[in-house]
Amino acid sequence: MKKIVLLILASIFAFAYKIDAYKWQKGDRFYLFLQQNSLPISIYYNLPNEIKRKVRNIQPGSTIFLLKDNNKIKQALFPIDANNQLQIIKKDNKYTTRIVPIFYDVKQKEAKITIDNFLSYDIYKATHLRSLAAKISDIFGDKINFRTLPKGSTLSVLYQTKSRYGKVKDVKVLFASFEIKGKVYNAFLNPYDGRYYDENGRSLKGMFLAAPLRYRKISSYFGRRFHPILHKWRMHDGIDYVNRVGTPIHSVADGIVIYKGWLGGYGKTIKIRHKNGYITLYGHLRSWPRRIYVGKRVRQGDVIGYLGNTGLSTGPHLHFGVMRYGRWINPLKIKRSAKTKLYGRAKKRFLAYIQKFIKENNIALK
Ligand SMILES: [Zn+2]
């Protein structure tokens, strides 16, 4: 009898409870979302500052789960970063919050791919992962020219997928090896710094990216030019890259943000200090990501702003300047090839890691 009552109760609950999935939109605000769903705004104000910052930056496209009881929210889950979510629970007519981990289904896979057509097509055909090709070309981009990749080149790749509800959320390349006309390029992910190195601990990337953005054209080079707004001969101490407003701008090297703000004719500007006496400047920006501030450490490739048309500018473009020991130099002439290598303890640790990794995964290094 008890069992039956329980069953009936369960079915009533199952009927009354409803789980809604809401897709976070660009422009959605956490505190407005609370208001719209009749949740007290004090939930937001009582969060620790660090979590407040995170809920203000929920990624558009993220899924919010709402457990409703007769259309009243009993529980809500907000993903706040790649690994954690904020849970709001109603208990005794009071709302409490806590941070709970997001669980992923993690799988390690491998693929051997012959490049018969072009890289992204062949990788997609073999793995059905669109992002994998982008990762591979990013890892080897400084070493291999993919536009002239000979047919019959082979790629072996060991990668990890992180899935949630059957959807791949993240792909991580653990090891990749290209064989191109008998020449072999190996790349191991170093778990200690998140970068890729060959089997001898040499980085696959130069200190600088070739350019801080994907651009349509260069509208002005480094050197003297007739200024289009000032109508005077002036030194142009950088490179002007043209593309659409909003194009992401990347830091060309690791460094520390030393300036963020309006800077005369450059308009909205970011300056980053790098090692070996280099400073880079990114001008005429439209905006910056919120996580970029003076003193922030950035890594090569991090998005530090969005292309704009602020300051003395005739159209949307990025002014990119490189300074070395206090003098502007031609960004197109910086030695990108100065490869970074692991030394000392970091190298020892990496070599020990890959030795174990090679053994565990039966990798036959060429
Ligand atoms: Zn310029």
Side-chain angles (χ1 to χ4, degrees), residues 186-206:
N186 293 318
F188 291 91
L189 173 66
N190 181 357
Y192 305 108
D193 68 5
R195 292 163 205 269
Y196 292 88
Y197 297 88
D198 70 10
E199 61 277 24
N200 299 309
R202 280 185 307 236
S203 166
L204 277 90
K205 286 232 154 105

Side-chain angles (χ1 to χ4, degrees), residues 39-107:
L39 290 166
I41 204 148
S42 58
I43 291 175
Y44 171 73
Y45 289 110
N46 292 334
L47 290 172
N49 281 337
E50 195 206 329
I51 307 300
K52 265 192 199 126
R53 189 156 13 99
K54 288 188 168 179
V55 296
R56 283 200 303 262
N57 289 302
I58 293 171
Q59 290 302 307
S62 304
T63 308
I64 316 299
F65 289 102
L66 303 166
L67 176 70
K68 291 182 176 171
D69 174 15
N70 287 321
N71 266 331
K72 290 224 168 73
I73 292 180
K74 292 285 274 182
Q75 240 190 75
L77 280 168
F78 297 81
I80 52 169
D81 57 37
N83 299 310
N84 299 290
Q85 48 196 344
L86 173 74
Q87 186 179 29
I88 300 173
I89 313 155
K90 190 178 189 183
K91 233 186 192 169
D92 313 324
N93 267 327
K94 259 178 147 176
Y95 288 96
T96 54
T97 60
R98 56 178 190 159
I99 304 298
V100 290
I102 297 174
F103 291 104
Y104 291 102
D105 179 20
V106 179
K107 282 201 178 98

Side-chain angles (χ1 to χ4, degrees), residues 220 225 236-241 266 284 312 317-320:
S220 187
R225 65 159 181 184
H236 185 236
D237 44 25
I239 299 276
D240 290 345
Y241 290 105
Y266 292 134
H284 308 309
L312 277 185
H317 75 280
L318 172 77
H319 174 91
F320 174 57

Side-chain angles (χ1 to χ4, degrees), residues 26 43 71 85 87 89 144 162 168 172 185 260:
K26 212 177 151 181
I43 291 175
N71 266 331
Q85 48 196 344
Q87 186 179 29
I89 313 155
I144 299 168
K162 263 169 105 180
V168 175
K172 189 152 72 177
Y185 302 86
K260 176 193 171 186

Side-chain angles (χ1 to χ4, degrees), residues 268-284:
K268 287 187 176 173
T269 300
I270 292 273
K271 274 190 184 185
I272 298 172
R273 191 195 307 124
H274 313 283
K275 60 181 187 185
N276 303 338
Y278 286 101
I279 286 173
T280 52
L281 179 151
Y282 310 80
H284 308 309

